[in-house]
Amino acid sequence: MKKELSLGMAIIPIFVLIAAAASSIFIWKAGMHIPLMIGVLAAAVIAILCGWKWQEVENMMVKGVARALPAVFILLIIGIIVGTWIASGVIPTMIYYGLSIIEPSLFVPLVALITGIVSITLGSSFTSIATIGIAFMAIGEGLGFAPGLVAGAVISGAYLGDKLSPLSDTTNIAPAMVDTDLFSHIKHMLWDTIPAFVIAIILYWFVGNAGRAGNAVDTDGINLIKTGLKSVFVIHPLLLLMPIFTIILMMKRVPAIPALTIVGLLGAVLAVLVQGASVSSIVQVMTSGFTVESDVAAVDKLLNSGGLMSMLGTIGLLILATALGGILEETGSFEALTRKMMTRVRSTGTLISTTIFSTFVVAFASGAQFLAIILPARTFAKTYKEMGIDTKNLSRCVEAAGTVGINLVPWSVPIVFAGSVLGVSPGELIPYIFFAFLVPLINLIFGFTGWTITKKNYPETTIKGESQS
């Protein structure tokens, strides 16, 4: 007979995961695959001890992983895009002209701002990071900026779009989970998103200039990179039409997988037509990534990347994280963790803070955005309605921690993806993701002051329907 999980039993897998993750990051230096596997095993053991059969636990994992399949296909296609956009000269052209025109004193805030604009338009943080993000990393290296700082600015901008764009999957999921409409949700998020991003831009200007104080721009290094790029690729401004075309596809609401497939294949066609690559070499690039051995080590380091195979490590993390999340959700572990906290909710401030804390718990436990949004949204919707608080406050909170704040978790899928694509370890870049620190903090301030917290009276039938669901 299955028994209800106690708080002590529910918290064991999370403690095991965090301990294994900390050991892997600081001692073993072995990444997050084994810690997540340990977390899955711990959650499975707890489930079996509480009465579930192994076959049922397997089904929980399968159900959790099934939710991630669209993201798996997107990651594979993004690996192909990175490879073909480098081979076609699109990303090298972006780097070349970026090194020519960007003012160093404004570079870091411009990275966040431009990436944010692109991400809002695309509705995809992953695509923004894997295209314009790679270009900015190369430009930043040429200008002498710390890689972690530039990567932090790229991620801040990317998740501005992931949070606000009506094309973003997380932006659509959050309101759907709490019975509010998309555009009310987006409008309500402007209150935390815009102030957080403005403060982040100011911090990037200050930290960027402080980090380079007294250091002249290395024009020789920049010219060397530009010369190296021209020696390997045909550089032409018309290649910049490719990212513009990508933006147009997304604005036309072409579904993500077909749109990304189209731009990936177009990159392959351009590589053949513009760069003179052979079909066999492009197939190799799409599979294993672009490789080049030029006379400029910086160029080789920047551009030897991409390919479908480069995404397998991230996909492995995604599968393990969602398998863990599947067990935690189906066994009621998250409900057990929040049950005690819910009894202490007496005010708007404690409700908002409990929502954000609980979302971070799921983020630390699973590393998966969707679970960090869906589980707290389902759990807290009834309480918000009972307290007469509009559920768009709930959707804003779960986006603050689950969409943006999850980037502060070193083993989360978003940060592992960004680190692998940008070539920077999570430990180097997380301190510079100012936007991810500020958005949850601003929501906590709103909760305890009452600013921007919207009230709403819900019919009793709606609240009962929520409890039954």
Side-chain angles (χ1 to χ4, degrees):
M1 181 178 175
K2 302 178 183 68
K3 60 182 181 182
E4 189 177 86
L5 267 69
S6 65
L7 176 62
M9 295 289 277
I11 210 167
I12 288 173
I14 295 174
F15 275 146
V16 169
L17 172 63
I18 292 174
S23 299
S24 184
I25 291 169
F26 299 112
I27 302 172
W28 306 332
K29 312 293 183 184
M32 275 305 302
H33 290 84
I34 296 302
L36 276 171
M37 180 68 78
I38 292 171
V40 170
L41 291 174
V45 168
I46 294 298
I48 290 169
L49 289 176
C50 290
W52 276 271
K53 296 178 181 178
W54 173 247
Q55 186 60 50
E56 292 176 307
V57 175
E58 277 189 349
N59 291 336
M60 294 175 194
M61 291 190 283
V62 169
K63 187 175 179 181
V65 172
R67 296 194 193 102
L69 289 180
V72 168
F73 284 111
I74 288 172
L75 287 170
L76 291 172
I77 297 167
I78 283 176
I80 291 171
I81 290 172
V82 173
T84 60
W85 277 34
I86 293 174
S88 64
V90 173
I91 288 177
T93 296
M94 293 166 69
I95 296 169
Y96 183 89
Y97 288 113
L99 286 170
S100 303
I101 64 174
I102 285 183
E103 166 60 39
S105 64
L106 298 175
F107 173 69
V108 182
L110 280 175
V111 167
L113 181 61
I114 294 171
T115 308
I117 293 169
V118 171
S119 185
I120 287 175
T121 309
L122 294 177
S124 170
S125 55
F126 279 22
T127 306
S128 304
I129 290 167
T131 53
I132 194 169
I134 291 176
F136 277 135
M137 291 301 295
I139 296 167
E141 180 163 321
L143 296 174
F145 288 96
L149 174 61
V150 180
V154 167
I155 295 168
S156 287
Y159 282 88
L160 171 74
D162 204 334
K163 191 170 187 289
L164 285 184
S165 175
L167 303 177
S168 167
D169 47 12
T170 57
T171 307
N172 281 272
I173 287 170
M177 290 294 104
V178 303
D179 191 27
T180 193
D181 69 278
L182 173 64
F183 290 101
S184 294
H185 168 64
I186 292 174
K187 185 177 178 181
H188 200 54
M189 287 197 299
L190 294 175
W191 289 105
D192 67 339
T193 305
I194 299 304
F197 197 67
V198 169
I199 295 170
I201 291 286
I202 294 169
L203 289 172
Y204 285 126
W205 177 83
F206 178 79
V207 175
N209 283 291
R212 297 188 69 257
N215 295 330
V217 176
D218 182 10
T219 55
D220 290 340
I222 291 174
N223 290 332
L224 184 64
I225 292 174
K226 290 171 67 177
T227 301
L229 290 171
K230 290 199 78 170
S231 70
V232 177
F233 301 97
V234 174
I235 303 294
H236 197 283
L238 287 178
L239 289 170
L240 298 176
L241 292 175
M242 178 61 81
I244 295 172
F245 176 69
T246 305
I247 289 171
I248 292 171
L249 281 181
M250 296 296 186
M251 290 180 68
K252 293 291 185 181
R253 293 183 176 270
V254 177
I257 290 177
L260 293 174
T261 301
I262 289 168
V263 299
L265 293 176
L266 281 177
V269 171
L270 286 177
V272 174
L273 297 179
V274 178
Q275 306 296 338
S278 66
V279 174
S280 62
S281 69
I282 292 305
V283 173
Q284 290 172 6
V285 164
M286 295 169 75
T287 304
S288 302
F290 182 81
T291 57
V292 65
E293 291 185 9
S294 68
D295 295 329
V296 183
V299 171
D300 298 349
K301 178 184 175 184
L302 294 169
L303 299 180
N304 287 345
S305 63
L308 183 149
M309 300 295 289
S310 68
M311 291 292 105
L312 295 184
T314 304
I315 289 170
L317 283 174
L318 178 61
I319 290 171
L320 288 169
T322 50
L324 173 60
I327 299 174
L328 294 178
E329 182 177 13
E330 294 296 319
T331 57
S333 291
F334 180 69
E335 184 182 347
L337 289 169
T338 57
R339 194 183 304 129
K340 186 84 171 176
M341 292 185 286
M342 293 293 286
T343 60
R344 299 181 181 181
V345 171
R346 295 287 183 270
S347 65
T348 302
T350 55
L351 179 60
I352 297 293
S353 59
T354 300
T355 303
I356 292 173
F357 176 77
S358 300
T359 306
F360 270 115
V361 167
V362 181
F364 271 89
S366 69
Q369 266 186 318
F370 287 171
L371 286 171
I373 291 169
I374 292 169
L375 292 183
R378 286 177 176 171
T379 301
F380 288 98
K382 180 173 179 285
T383 304
Y384 275 74
K385 290 179 178 181
E386 287 176 338
M387 293 180 66
I389 299 172
D390 198 316
T391 55
K392 65 185 180 182
N393 298 288
L394 169 58
S395 59
R396 183 174 71 181
C397 285
V398 296
E399 281 245 62
T403 298
V404 182
I406 196 170
N407 284 284
L408 303 179
V409 179
W411 52 85
S412 67
V413 173
I415 206 66
V416 170
F417 167 79
S420 64
V421 169
L422 301 178
V424 185
S425 69
E428 288 181 90
L429 62 84
I430 285 176
Y432 295 108
I433 312 175
F434 300 142
F435 187 58
F437 288 98
L438 289 164
V439 173
L441 177 62
I442 288 173
N443 275 276
L444 287 173
I445 293 171
F446 287 163
F448 285 104
T449 61
W451 296 341
T452 79
I453 301 298
T454 308
K455 304 289 186 177
K456 183 176 179 179
N457 291 321
Y458 288 90
E460 188 67 28
T461 53
T462 303
I463 298 173
K464 286 182 179 179
E466 190 71 49
S467 62
Q468 291 170 358
S469 64

